[in-house]
PDB file of all heavy atoms in Angstrom:
ATOM      1  N   ARG A  16      28.575   7.118  77.897  1.00 98.00           N
ATOM      2  CA  ARG A  16      30.025   7.325  77.815  1.00 98.00           C
ATOM      3  C   ARG A  16      30.498   6.999  76.411  1.00 98.00           C
ATOM      4  O   ARG A  16      30.021   6.103  75.740  1.00 98.00           O
ATOM      5  CB  ARG A  16      30.748   6.482  78.865  1.00 98.00           C
ATOM      6  CG  ARG A  16      31.214   5.089  78.484  1.00 98.00           C
ATOM      7  CD  ARG A  16      30.088   4.152  78.116  1.00 98.00           C
ATOM      8  NE  ARG A  16      30.443   2.750  78.040  1.00 98.00           N
ATOM      9  CZ  ARG A  16      30.916   2.125  76.959  1.00 98.00           C
ATOM     10  NH1 ARG A  16      31.081   2.772  75.848  1.00 98.00           N
ATOM     11  NH2 ARG A  16      31.209   0.829  76.993  1.00 98.00           N
ATOM     12  N   ALA A  18      33.907   5.734  74.835  1.00 98.00           N
ATOM     13  CA  ALA A  18      35.055   5.062  75.459  1.00 98.00           C
ATOM     14  C   ALA A  18      36.067   4.615  74.413  1.00 98.00           C
ATOM     15  O   ALA A  18      36.238   3.424  74.177  1.00 98.00           O
ATOM     16  CB  ALA A  18      34.552   3.868  76.266  1.00 98.00           C
ATOM     17  N   SER A  20      39.479   3.656  72.416  1.00 95.00           N
ATOM     18  CA  SER A  20      40.813   3.115  72.686  1.00 95.00           C
ATOM     19  C   SER A  20      41.775   3.900  71.813  1.00 95.00           C
ATOM     20  O   SER A  20      41.553   4.007  70.619  1.00 95.00           O
ATOM     21  CB  SER A  20      40.878   1.639  72.298  1.00 95.00           C
ATOM     22  OG  SER A  20      39.939   0.917  73.038  1.00 95.00           O
ATOM     23  N   GLU A  52      40.047   4.159  77.067  1.00 97.00           N
ATOM     24  CA  GLU A  52      40.279   2.725  77.297  1.00 97.00           C
ATOM     25  C   GLU A  52      41.641   2.345  76.716  1.00 97.00           C
ATOM     26  O   GLU A  52      41.746   1.839  75.605  1.00 97.00           O
ATOM     27  CB  GLU A  52      39.136   1.921  76.676  1.00 97.00           C
ATOM     28  CG  GLU A  52      37.788   2.333  77.281  1.00 97.00           C
ATOM     29  CD  GLU A  52      36.711   1.274  77.176  1.00 97.00           C
ATOM     30  OE1 GLU A  52      36.699   0.509  76.195  1.00 97.00           O
ATOM     31  OE2 GLU A  52      35.855   1.225  78.093  1.00 97.00           O
ATOM     32  N   TYR A 204      39.513  -5.683  77.719  1.00 96.00           N
ATOM     33  CA  TYR A 204      38.381  -4.780  77.493  1.00 96.00           C
ATOM     34  C   TYR A 204      37.129  -5.271  78.233  1.00 96.00           C
ATOM     35  O   TYR A 204      36.398  -4.474  78.832  1.00 96.00           O
ATOM     36  CB  TYR A 204      38.130  -4.683  75.979  1.00 96.00           C
ATOM     37  CG  TYR A 204      36.783  -4.149  75.627  1.00 96.00           C
ATOM     38  CD1 TYR A 204      36.451  -2.818  75.893  1.00 96.00           C
ATOM     39  CD2 TYR A 204      35.816  -4.965  75.039  1.00 96.00           C
ATOM     40  CE1 TYR A 204      35.205  -2.320  75.580  1.00 96.00           C
ATOM     41  CE2 TYR A 204      34.567  -4.474  74.723  1.00 96.00           C
ATOM     42  CZ  TYR A 204      34.269  -3.154  74.996  1.00 96.00           C
ATOM     43  OH  TYR A 204      33.028  -2.673  74.688  1.00 96.00           O
ATOM     44  N   PHE A 221      26.401   2.584  74.355  1.00 97.00           N
ATOM     45  CA  PHE A 221      26.348   2.640  72.882  1.00 97.00           C
ATOM     46  C   PHE A 221      27.672   2.130  72.347  1.00 97.00           C
ATOM     47  O   PHE A 221      28.736   2.576  72.778  1.00 97.00           O
ATOM     48  CB  PHE A 221      26.224   4.092  72.396  1.00 97.00           C
ATOM     49  CG  PHE A 221      24.861   4.700  72.568  1.00 97.00           C
ATOM     50  CD1 PHE A 221      24.496   5.274  73.763  1.00 97.00           C
ATOM     51  CD2 PHE A 221      23.965   4.727  71.507  1.00 97.00           C
ATOM     52  CE1 PHE A 221      23.259   5.871  73.925  1.00 97.00           C
ATOM     53  CE2 PHE A 221      22.720   5.320  71.664  1.00 97.00           C
ATOM     54  CZ  PHE A 221      22.360   5.891  72.870  1.00 97.00           C
ATOM     55  N   ARG A 222      27.609   1.249  71.388  1.00 96.00           N
ATOM     56  CA  ARG A 222      28.844   0.829  70.698  1.00 96.00           C
ATOM     57  C   ARG A 222      28.446   0.128  69.408  1.00 96.00           C
ATOM     58  O   ARG A 222      27.289  -0.232  69.201  1.00 96.00           O
ATOM     59  CB  ARG A 222      29.678  -0.085  71.603  1.00 96.00           C
ATOM     60  CG  ARG A 222      28.948  -1.322  72.032  1.00 96.00           C
ATOM     61  CD  ARG A 222      29.757  -2.088  73.065  1.00 96.00           C
ATOM     62  NE  ARG A 222      29.033  -3.291  73.460  1.00 96.00           N
ATOM     63  CZ  ARG A 222      29.339  -4.017  74.520  1.00 96.00           C
ATOM     64  NH1 ARG A 222      30.337  -3.669  75.306  1.00 96.00           N
ATOM     65  NH2 ARG A 222      28.658  -5.110  74.801  1.00 96.00           N
ATOM     66  N   TRP A 226      30.501  -5.452  68.466  1.00 95.00           N
ATOM     67  CA  TRP A 226      30.665  -5.880  69.862  1.00 95.00           C
ATOM     68  C   TRP A 226      29.564  -6.834  70.324  1.00 95.00           C
ATOM     69  O   TRP A 226      29.620  -7.341  71.445  1.00 95.00           O
ATOM     70  CB  TRP A 226      30.717  -4.671  70.798  1.00 95.00           C
ATOM     71  CG  TRP A 226      31.981  -3.880  70.644  1.00 95.00           C
ATOM     72  CD1 TRP A 226      32.091  -2.645  70.076  1.00 95.00           C
ATOM     73  CD2 TRP A 226      33.301  -4.271  71.020  1.00 95.00           C
ATOM     74  NE1 TRP A 226      33.405  -2.237  70.083  1.00 95.00           N
ATOM     75  CE2 TRP A 226      34.170  -3.220  70.653  1.00 95.00           C
ATOM     76  CE3 TRP A 226      33.840  -5.414  71.629  1.00 95.00           C
ATOM     77  CZ2 TRP A 226      35.543  -3.264  70.878  1.00 95.00           C
ATOM     78  CZ3 TRP A 226      35.209  -5.459  71.847  1.00 95.00           C
ATOM     79  CH2 TRP A 226      36.043  -4.396  71.479  1.00 95.00           C
TER      80      TRP A 226
HETATM   81  N1  LIG B   1      37.235   0.832  73.681  1.00 83.81           N
HETATM   82  C1  LIG B   1      36.303   0.282  72.746  1.00 83.81           C
HETATM   83  C2  LIG B   1      36.674   0.696  71.333  1.00 83.81           C
HETATM   84  O1  LIG B   1      37.353   1.680  71.160  1.00 83.81           O
HETATM   85  C3  LIG B   1      34.933   0.822  73.042  1.00 83.81           C
HETATM   86  C4  LIG B   1      33.837  -0.148  72.919  1.00 83.81           C
HETATM   87  C5  LIG B   1      32.722   0.305  73.855  1.00 83.81           C
HETATM   88  O2  LIG B   1      32.258   1.430  73.689  1.00 83.81           O
HETATM   89  O3  LIG B   1      32.345  -0.448  74.740  1.00 83.81           O
HETATM   90  O4  LIG B   1      36.292   0.062  70.386  1.00 83.81           O
END
Side-chain angles (χ1 to χ4, degrees):
R16 91 297 193 272
S20 300
E52 301 204 327
Y204 162 68
F221 285 85
R222 59 187 180 194
W226 290 109

